[in-house]
């Protein structure tokens, strides 16, 4: 715009110059020539400065870009800043707007992402140092299912969760390679499958799957308690009872005992020294329930996991020893030393009993619900187990028939 005005001004001076020359006015002519020279100089100087500034800015941009770290598309930094499913989308930075919700919201409506395991553990290990939440946080229970393909008892769980949205989160880990079948979009299990890998019983890959579930659940800051369940698990009480029991508990629930038998201490390997001694060695149920603080410690562990991965191999089964030993080492005061998932080992063998259709009755379930004694927040109680396994898929029909009256589900 300024350049155009200068050109117009120069043209007017030229016309005036011709007029004055015609009159023979030497003084005026000299003045006009001087002004024309100055105007031309200003135009040329403006063009020169503009070009120099443009080149400088371009060179600075190239330099700055070359100094940025080369981020892998799957690195935690690139995911955190640029992935469209990140809670901090790039557009937030461009317009200068970024609020608390961007940080605390889950990555997206689903749970799928492009992070590898190392990146996932790194991101999930980030925790605030200030324990007071600066927003109205409603604590949730994360239900984490280890499945092979579909969840055969899903209709029972659908009734369990019905009406309690906002108080729970669901995560599914499928150990079946290439399994892509999805639940109906009306199901509570729709779009809840996390990036999964094969998991084999008794091997480190099973621990990897469980840590993967924990890490994904930790991405949601509202999750306060974390329950590991199998596809053969059933709830023993209604949602309200289970939720209040867990949220109000002062302890995590991980079985962790010093078992002197061959299937306990007999599995210890001296090569675990000095990280894990025989006095540290514990055995417990794979099916744990932990508080958020304990969950963060589990997925942040880089000391004990490699030791057991390398030296606890069949007949040492890592899923029976890793979590039990780890919790006993890092936070024994936060643990109840018991599992809240009931299983029946009375029949012997390497696996607990599997229950079929004929086994299911109100009497049978009530015996599990109130047939034991334990401690809860320092008080004695008969409510020791909230879940039970292993239930065959053919138990679904009798369970759905019994559930409305026994568990208080909607019919």
């Amino acid at each position: 715009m300024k350049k155009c005005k200068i050109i117009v001004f120069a043209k007017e001076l030229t016309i005036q110059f011709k007029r004055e020359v015609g009159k023979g006015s030497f003084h005026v002519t000299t003045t006009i020539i001087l002004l024309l020279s100055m105007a031309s100089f200003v135009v040329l100087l403006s063009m020169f400065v503009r070009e120099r500034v443009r080149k400088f800015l371009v060179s600075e941009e190239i330099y700055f870009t070359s100094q940025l770290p080369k981020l892998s598309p799957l690195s935690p930094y690139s995911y955190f800043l640029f992935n469209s499913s990140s809670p901090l989308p790039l557009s937030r930075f461009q317009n200068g707007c970024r609020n608390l919700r961007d940080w605390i919201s889950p990555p997206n409506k689903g749970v799928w992402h492009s992070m590898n395991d190392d990146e996932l553990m790194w991101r999930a290990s980030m925790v605030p140092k200030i324990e007071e939440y600066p927003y109205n946080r409603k604590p949730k229970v994360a239900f984490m299912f280890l499945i092979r393909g579909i969840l055969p008892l899903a209709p029972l769980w659908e009734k369990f969760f019905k009406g309690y949205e906002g108080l729970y989160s669901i995560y599914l880990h499928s150990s079946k390679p290439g399994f892509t079948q999805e639940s109906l979009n009306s199901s509570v299990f729709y779009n809840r499958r996390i990036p999964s890998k094969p998991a084999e019983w008794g091997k480190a890959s099973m621990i990897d799957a469980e840590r993967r579930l924990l890490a994904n659940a930790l991405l949601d800051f509202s999750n306060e308690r974390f329950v590991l369940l199998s596809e053969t698990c059933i709830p023993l009480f209604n949602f309200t009872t289970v939720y209040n029991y867990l949220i109000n508990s002062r302890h995590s629930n991980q079985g962790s005992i010093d078992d002197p038998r061959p299937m306990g201490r007999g599995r210890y390997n001296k090569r675990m020294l000095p990280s894990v001694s025989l006095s540290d060695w514990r055995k417990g149920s794979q099916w744990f329930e932990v508080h958020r603080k304990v969950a963060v410690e589990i997925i942040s562990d880089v000391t004990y996991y490699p030791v057991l991965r390398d030296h606890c191999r069949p007949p040492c089964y890592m899923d029976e020893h890793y979590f039990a030993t780890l919790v006993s080492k890092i936070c024994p005061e936060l643990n109840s030393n018991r599992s809240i998932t009931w299983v029946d080992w009375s029949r012997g063998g390497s696996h607990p009993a599997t229950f079929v259709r004929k086994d299911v009755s109100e009497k049978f379930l009530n015996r599990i619900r109130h047939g034991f004694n334990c401690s809860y927040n320092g008080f004695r109680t008969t409510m020791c187990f909230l879940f039970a396994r292993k239930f065959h898929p053919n138990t679904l029909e009798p369970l759905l028939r019994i559930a409305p009256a026994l568990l208080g589900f909607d019919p």
Side-chain angles (χ1 to χ4, degrees):
M1 182 65 70
K2 291 183 178 180
K3 181 178 178 181
C4 294
K5 290 182 179 180
I6 293 173
I7 294 173
V8 172
F9 174 68
K11 289 181 179 180
E12 292 179 352
L13 285 178
T14 302
I15 295 172
Q16 184 66 26
F17 171 74
K18 291 180 179 180
R19 290 176 181 173
E20 294 298 330
V21 171
K23 295 178 181 180
S25 174
F26 176 77
H27 177 72
V28 173
T29 301
T30 303
T31 302
I32 293 175
I33 293 174
L34 179 62
L35 290 174
L36 281 172
S37 300
M38 291 178 63
S40 300
F41 174 76
V42 169
V43 172
L44 293 174
L45 180 62
S46 174
M47 294 174 64
F48 174 78
V49 170
R50 180 180 178 184
E51 182 64 18
R52 294 290 296 179
V53 169
R54 187 187 68 80
K55 289 182 178 180
F56 173 77
L57 291 176
V58 171
S59 64
E60 283 296 298
E61 180 180 355
I62 293 173
Y63 173 79
F64 177 74
T65 304
S66 67
Q67 299 305 306
L68 287 175
K70 295 181 178 180
L71 302 179
S72 162
L74 298 182
S75 75
Y77 309 100
S78 60
Y79 178 86
F80 195 65
L81 294 177
F82 304 116
N83 193 297
S84 60
S85 64
S86 169
L88 297 176
L90 183 59
S91 60
R92 297 285 188 182
F93 293 96
Q94 290 175 334
N95 60 23
C97 175
R98 186 176 68 200
N99 56 41
L100 183 63
R101 185 176 296 278
D102 297 326
W103 293 93
I104 64 176
S105 298
N108 50 36
K109 292 182 179 180
V111 291
W112 200 264
H113 56 75
S114 59
M115 290 183 285
N116 62 37
D117 283 353
D118 289 338
E119 295 165 345
L120 173 63
M121 301 298 164
W122 178 84
R123 183 177 176 187
S125 68
M126 296 181 180
V127 295
K129 292 294 185 180
I130 300 176
E131 294 189 5
E132 290 288 331
Y133 288 87
Y135 61 97
N136 185 20
R137 174 182 180 264
K138 188 67 175 178
K140 296 191 295 187
V141 176
F143 292 83
M144 309 177 301
F145 290 86
L146 278 173
I147 60 177
R148 284 170 291 185
I150 62 172
L151 186 61
L153 300 176
L156 179 68
W157 285 102
E158 293 275 4
K159 289 185 176 293
F160 173 79
F161 289 117
K162 185 179 179 181
Y164 297 98
E165 293 77 9
L167 296 178
Y168 65 85
S169 301
I170 295 174
Y171 302 87
L172 306 174
H173 184 288
S174 175
S175 61
K176 187 176 181 180
F179 181 80
T180 58
Q181 184 177 341
E182 185 58 89
S183 303
L184 297 176
N185 56 13
S186 59
S187 169
V188 296
F189 298 103
Y190 176 72
N191 207 20
R192 303 310 300 174
R193 185 177 293 106
I194 66 169
S196 307
K197 295 181 181 179
E200 297 181 71
W201 174 77
K203 296 187 178 180
S205 59
M206 182 65 73
I207 302 300
D208 294 337
E210 295 171 17
R211 281 162 51 98
R212 201 173 292 128
L213 278 165
L214 269 179
N216 277 277
L218 281 167
L219 297 182
D220 186 340
F221 276 82
S222 294
N223 288 331
E224 184 70 12
R225 310 291 301 208
F226 303 78
V227 186
L228 180 67
L229 301 162
S230 81
E231 63 184 26
T232 66
C233 281
I234 66 167
L236 294 172
F237 298 91
N238 60 32
F239 182 89
T240 302
T241 302
V242 170
Y243 178 86
N244 289 332
Y245 190 102
L246 296 179
I247 292 297
N248 295 317
S249 175
R250 296 201 298 261
H251 299 93
S252 294
N253 296 283
Q254 165 67 64
S256 180
I257 62 172
D258 180 8
D259 186 350
R261 298 176 300 171
M263 63 280 295
R265 289 187 188 178
R267 295 173 176 175
Y268 175 74
N269 188 334
K270 292 182 179 179
R271 293 181 180 179
M272 298 179 188
L273 287 169
S275 298
V276 179
S277 66
L278 180 60
S279 61
D280 297 326
W281 189 243
R282 295 290 184 272
K283 181 180 179 181
S285 171
Q286 155 183 18
W287 311 104
F288 61 77
E289 184 280 327
V290 293
H291 184 276
R292 186 175 186 89
K293 290 181 180 179
V294 179
V296 172
E297 293 294 332
I298 290 174
I299 63 99
S300 302
D301 171 42
V302 294
T303 301
Y304 305 106
Y305 171 79
V307 173
L308 271 76
R309 178 196 61 202
D310 296 339
H311 304 300
C312 179
R313 297 179 178 178
C316 177
Y317 301 102
M318 195 171 173
D319 55 281
E320 294 183 5
H321 295 280
Y322 172 66
F323 291 110
T325 300
L326 177 64
V327 171
S328 179
K329 289 278 290 183
I330 63 177
C331 50
E333 73 286 354
L334 298 178
N335 189 32
S336 69
N337 289 334
R338 65 182 178 89
S339 174
I340 56 171
T341 299
W342 180 83
V343 293
D344 181 8
W345 289 98
S346 63
R347 302 180 188 180
S350 301
H351 299 278
T354 297
F355 303 102
V356 295
R357 181 187 182 95
K358 65 181 180 61
D359 298 315
V360 177
S361 67
E362 287 192 27
K363 182 180 179 180
F364 170 66
L365 294 179
N366 271 327
R367 182 172 64 84
I368 305 172
R369 281 156 45 96
H370 297 293
F372 302 88
N373 290 289
C374 60
S375 176
Y376 174 79
N377 288 347
F379 297 94
R380 301 300 295 176
T381 180
T382 60
M383 187 185 294
C384 301
F385 300 104
L386 303 182
F387 312 97
R389 67 183 298 265
K390 304 170 54 173
F391 285 79
H392 191 276
N394 66 19
T395 61
L396 179 60
E397 189 276 328
L399 286 170
L400 289 175
R401 187 178 65 251
I402 294 173
L406 184 67
L407 307 183
F409 296 173
D410 291 336

